[in-house]
């Protein structure tokens, strides 16, 4: 019997496993009780994150979803309105948390492949009145997951921020993959954060950590956020073992995101003009590609998994997503492309 090929897992960049060096950093982390503020490794991660994004303070949180929940809850009151893209992660994949957890109404502005049309925003903003809830917060997602890892340009952030300030509205960036945007465009991460009151970024995605996200903002906001985190059950104790992975990733895994972007571009080029498959873009912006398949996506998905050990995600009847990350090498990318071409052409 031939030995099965190793699995190439392109379902998401959340599937990355900590490297031996990251595990070593975790194993030797100094720890304390972080709910008491006593964990030196968590404190160091928070200082590093705040410095990277040019904000006063930061808070380590268990997940991107909780980071977004805290940002919304700490900057609104029940009955307020928030604006976000109709295809935003918080809108589609977080089980209705703006309504369910934060008690806010959501409205959407116009956008084109994940990039907000800033001109449409002023019309969406409600001033509080006897009839209207007040619009309190705009949430922008960068990179944009459902738009295939699209980068929201810095100029768009600036324009949205300008409009928000004019109307007394706060801005939160769901920057789960903002470091992919920063690396892809050569932008300082602090330049994005400067256009927002608060920002969440994820350690557990392309940066390769097993757990965790970080919320950044003003000292006043982070004080409030710490209370909301506790309320949501996100107060962690000896979390330094997790924060150590985050520190290792910030020191070693940011610039290598460019490798994932290169592999993603290679995959898109290898899939271009092939029968039975149409990538959304042959020049993907960051580390993911959505494709349209002629055959049912579920069938393509299961043949890829069973025959070739290539894991992916189906997102609609004829739509699939492939995400590149530090556990997918350039050789894996070429092997996966061959498998995808074979299965899609059947
Ligand atoms: C854009 C975006 N925001 C937030 C999240 C939520 O992150 P988590 O899975 O850590 O809760 C994700 C997860 O993939 C995401 O893609």
């Amino acid at each position: 019997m031939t030995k099965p090929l190793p699995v190439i897992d392109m379902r998401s960049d959340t599937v990355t496993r900590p490297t031996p060096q990251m595990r070593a950093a975790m194993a030797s982390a100094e720890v304390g009780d972080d709910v008491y503020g006593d964990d030196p490794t968590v404190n160091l991660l928070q200082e590093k994150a705040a410095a990277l994004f040019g904000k006063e303070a930061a808070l380590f949180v268990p997940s991107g979803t909780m980071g977004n929940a805290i940002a919304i809850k700490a900057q609104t009151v029940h009955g307020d309105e928030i604006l976000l893209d109709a295809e935003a992660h918080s809108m589609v994949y977080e089980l209705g948390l703006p309504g369910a957890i934060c008690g806010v109404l959501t409205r959407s502005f116009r956008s084109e492949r994940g990039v907000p049309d800033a001109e449409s925003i002023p019309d969406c903003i409600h001033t509080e009145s006897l009839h209207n809830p007040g619009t309190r917060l705009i949430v922008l997602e960068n990179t944009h997951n459902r738009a295939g890892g699209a980068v929201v340009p810095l100029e768009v952030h600036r324009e949205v921020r300008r409009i928000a300030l004019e109307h007394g509205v706060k801005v939160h960036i769901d920057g789960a993959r903002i470091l992919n945007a920063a690396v892809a465009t050569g932008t300082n991460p602090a330049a994005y954060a400067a256009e927002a009151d608060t920002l969440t970024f994820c350690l557990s995605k392309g940066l390769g950590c097993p757990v965790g996200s970080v919320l950044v903002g003003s000292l006043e906001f982070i004080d409030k956020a710490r209370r909301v985190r506790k309320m949501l059950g996100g107060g962690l104790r000896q979390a330094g073992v997790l924060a150590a992975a985050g520190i290792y990733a910030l020191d070693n895994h940011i610039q290598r995101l460019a490798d994932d972007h290169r592999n993603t571009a290679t995959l898109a080029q290898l899939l271009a003009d092939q029968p039975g498959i149409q990538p959304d873009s042959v020049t993907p912006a960051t580390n993911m590609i959505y494709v349209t398949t002629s055959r049912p996506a579920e069938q393509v998905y299961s043949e890829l998994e069973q025959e070739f050990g290539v894991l992916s995600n189906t997102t609609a009847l004829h739509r699939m997503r492939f995400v590149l990350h530090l556990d997918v090498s350039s050789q894996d990318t070429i092997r996966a492309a061959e498998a995808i071409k074979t299965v899609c052409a059947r």
Side-chain angles (χ1 to χ4, degrees):
M1 212 174 97
T2 52
K3 214 166 132 222
L5 287 167
V7 165
I8 303 174
D9 194 341
M10 298 170 122
R11 285 173 298 169
S12 173
D13 46 12
T14 56
V15 301
T16 52
R17 286 146 307 173
T19 61
Q21 297 88 330
M22 185 179 276
R23 286 174 191 261
M26 296 170 76
S28 61
E30 256 189 84
V31 296
D33 188 327
D34 181 51
V35 172
Y36 287 108
D38 282 352
D39 191 303
T41 311
V42 171
N43 292 341
L44 180 60
L45 170 67
Q46 291 174 168
E47 280 163 30
K48 271 180 170 286
L52 179 65
F53 286 92
K55 291 290 192 204
E56 283 177 351
L59 187 69
F60 183 54
V61 293
S63 67
T65 302
M66 190 182 285
N68 288 336
I70 294 170
I72 297 169
K73 192 154 177 57
Q75 296 182 97
T76 56
V77 295
H78 273 219
D80 279 347
E81 198 165 73
I82 68 167
L83 301 182
L84 69 184
D85 178 56
E87 293 293 312
H89 196 275
S90 296
M91 201 71 150
V92 181
Y93 293 127
E94 293 174 10
L95 298 160
L97 89 76
I101 307 277
C102 310
V104 295
L105 286 163
T106 54
R107 274 158 58 87
S108 295
F109 40 77
R110 273 201 313 267
S111 62
E112 179 69 31
R113 292 201 46 72
V115 178
D117 173 359
E119 273 186 19
S120 70
I121 291 181
D123 272 348
C124 302
I125 294 176
H126 275 143
T127 305
E128 198 171 38
S129 72
L130 186 59
H131 306 288
N132 294 135
T135 305
R136 218 60 75 192
L137 183 69
I138 299 171
V139 178
L140 301 181
E141 183 174 314
N142 197 4
T143 64
H144 196 294
N145 185 336
R146 280 177 62 89
V151 172
V152 176
L154 185 57
E155 310 82 81
V156 174
H157 280 284
R158 289 203 175 112
E159 185 55 11
V160 173
R161 174 68 156 172
R162 190 190 62 71
I163 294 164
L165 286 172
E166 210 173 281
H167 291 83
V169 174
K170 297 239 156 100
V171 176
H172 171 66
I173 298 178
D174 173 357
R177 297 182 183 82
I178 192 88
L179 292 170
N180 290 84
V183 168
T185 59
T187 305
N188 184 337
Y192 292 116
E195 304 307 329
D197 296 279
T198 60
L199 177 148
T200 332
F201 72 97
C202 292
L203 299 164
S204 61
K205 301 198 166 64
L207 293 181
C209 298
V211 177
S213 292
V214 183
L215 188 53
V216 297
S218 67
L219 267 173
E220 190 187 348
F221 166 76
I222 293 296
D223 269 354
K224 194 162 178 196
R226 186 172 285 107
R227 289 169 58 80
V228 177
R229 181 185 69 174
K230 182 76 161 55
M231 188 196 294
L232 297 179
L236 300 175
R237 303 294 180 173
Q238 285 69 30
V241 285
L242 304 174
I247 292 170
Y248 183 85
L250 293 185
D251 289 343
N252 297 282
H253 286 176
I254 297 179
Q255 291 313 322
R256 67 147 307 286
L257 292 171
D259 300 344
D260 301 338
H261 301 165
R262 245 189 319 276
N263 287 336
T264 312
T266 301
L267 182 62
Q269 279 147 23
L270 292 172
L271 298 181
D273 301 321
Q274 295 297 320
I277 183 163
Q278 175 85 52
D280 279 7
S281 165
V282 286
T283 54
T286 53
N287 70 328
M288 54 179 85
I289 310 181
Y290 281 77
V291 300
T292 302
T293 56
S294 305
R295 300 177 64 216
E298 278 299 335
Q299 222 165 323
V300 172
Y301 163 88
S302 66
E303 290 172 23
L304 275 176
E305 179 180 10
Q306 281 157 28
E307 296 174 37
F308 297 94
V310 173
L311 306 187
S312 56
N313 245 321
T314 58
T315 60
L317 285 180
H318 288 267
R319 299 274 294 160
M320 302 183 72
R321 186 185 79 168
F322 301 92
V323 184
L324 288 276
H325 51 75
L326 96 171
D327 287 347
V328 179
S329 66
S330 50
Q331 291 93 319
D332 290 339
T333 305
I334 291 164
R335 173 156 87 76
E338 285 309 313
I340 298 165
K341 282 196 291 193
T342 305
V343 170
C344 287
R346 284 176 178 162

